[in-house]
Amino acid sequence: MSLNTPLEAQGIETGAKIHSNLGTAALVEHALANGEGRLAAHGPLVVDTGRFTGRSVKDKFVVRDEKTEDTINWGKINQPMSAEHFANLKADMLDALKGQEKLYVADLFGGSQPEYRVNVRVINQLAWHNLFIRTLLVRPTEEELADFEPEYTIINLPSFKADPERHGSVSDTMIAVSFTEKLILIANTEYSGEMKKGVFGLLNYLLPEQGVMPMHCSANVGADGKTAIFFGLSGTGKTTLSADASRTLIGDDEHGWSDSAVFNFEGGCYAKMIDLSAEGEPEIYATTKMFGTILENVAMDEQTREIDFTDTSKTENTRGAYPIEYIPNTSEKNLGPVPSNVIMLTADAFGVLPPIARLTPDQAMYYFLSGYTAKVAGTEIGVTEPQATFSTCFGAPFMPRHPSVYGNLLKERIAQGGAQCWLVNTGWTGGQYGTGSRMPIKVTRALLNAALDGSLNNVEFRKDENFGFEVPVAVPGVDSQILDPRATWSDKEEYDRTAQKLVQLFVDNFADFEAHVDEGVRKAAPTAA
């Protein structure tokens, strides 16, 4: 389909053959013909992302200019770039486009609620990259494409190497964002997630000005018509818990909370594939046997073309991208009512937090700004204890504005809608990692179901002496002992020491936010002995 707005109208000149708005089958054919990937058994496209198997945070920059000077939270995550360096990068990448033999262009929407979506044009060197972003963003209808005018543009050239002196980069890889020029430039990385998160960062910058809360969360709707949102960092169960066959999926990763709806930013899902099984995650597993799914960096038997999801030889961050409709029971319009329940997921490898706790609005803002999870001890010599991770708003790398902007928006939204907030630990019980065991998913699902259907509000709660939130004492169908983390530890004194260690980590982390929140939120902090 021809482009309603030609590249030339954007100042982009190239002799390349332009493949615009191709469908899934055509893009898979191109990817195979170009040698970009291979077909696995049952039809998914298997690709290798090369040197980068995840986002390159140190190589991402935002142009610092009059528009962004006072609106971006500058620091290690939002690294500043001069307008001059960006101009050089833009000129050189546009020049590189002239010599391409073929380019793939997709016109897409970021956001499913029409009032708040943005028109994004993505220009790719690789066919599979174009398939990926077409899968992950919202696909316009033919009628919408006929009138499509790009507002923001992404140019992704894996073959282009940045020059630190000329472009202000720290390496030959660069992801550069100009909110003024409405342009994202991606150079020298084949990791597809840079495009997806580029659009997420864009919406995270634009939507707060319109009073919309952008969120790194999954969302679904129950048979009662009530929406639940699930905040959580990678590995906490955000995708798994939202893909519940008994509930309607709105989306698995990125959403906005407006006055009238929770709406998905995307039209697809990007799930971790490591250790995926038909028994543990049947809905997601089924997508790996569908044509149109993209599997990144997975191991494949060359003879049978079957996938080994336990193989981490390439990376533990193996991924699958698939249209959201590949999951049964998904929302037709990728949106639902404003949330009745807000769930914050954490995988606490210290084994200190209860499997579920009820939060006040002030506590919700505290734990939202903290964005806590804990990673298990790694393979590095000498690292034997869990490592606490605090990622503000459960998505610090994607939040251009100050965290307090998002925290205050969340608090306002909760107050307006009266949503009930919960902290859910999908991590360890009976001891920290290495001693205890992983929280049984059946327990997590049972407690979540009780929270979502309202029955959890009818049980007795106790106040946690370390963290101050409310914890259920007994829940039908759940062993009461597991509800009290201290009771699950054989060494109670060791639990107390570990709990106080985690409390202090929270307190130390929150010091940066204290000046930006009110007294109620400050008092929601856990209590150090």
Side-chain angles (χ1 to χ4, degrees), residues 334-398:
N334 288 350
L335 51 79
V338 296
S340 298
N341 285 278
V342 175
I343 294 123
M344 299 181 192
L345 302 169
T346 178
D348 176 30
F350 290 97
V352 164
L353 296 179
I356 196 165
R358 187 166 63 186
L359 306 177
T360 66
D362 283 330
Q363 289 171 335
M365 184 171 174
Y366 183 91
Y367 287 98
F368 176 71
L369 288 175
S370 298
Y372 166 73
T373 193
K375 297 179 180 178
V376 299
T379 56
E380 184 179 340
I381 295 174
V383 178
T384 58
E385 294 186 344
Q387 303 294 303
T389 297
F390 293 95
S391 184
T392 307
C393 310
F394 294 98
F398 324 118

Side-chain angles (χ1 to χ4, degrees), residues 8 20 45 100 152 157 166 196 223 255 266 299 339 365-366 418 420 497 515 517:
E8 293 79 7
S20 58
L45 180 68
Q100 298 298 311
Y152 293 84
L157 289 180
R166 180 166 166 76
K196 163 188 158 65
H255 294 81
E266 303 181 307
M365 184 171 174
Y366 183 91
Q420 181 61 65
R497 286 191 293 270
V517 298

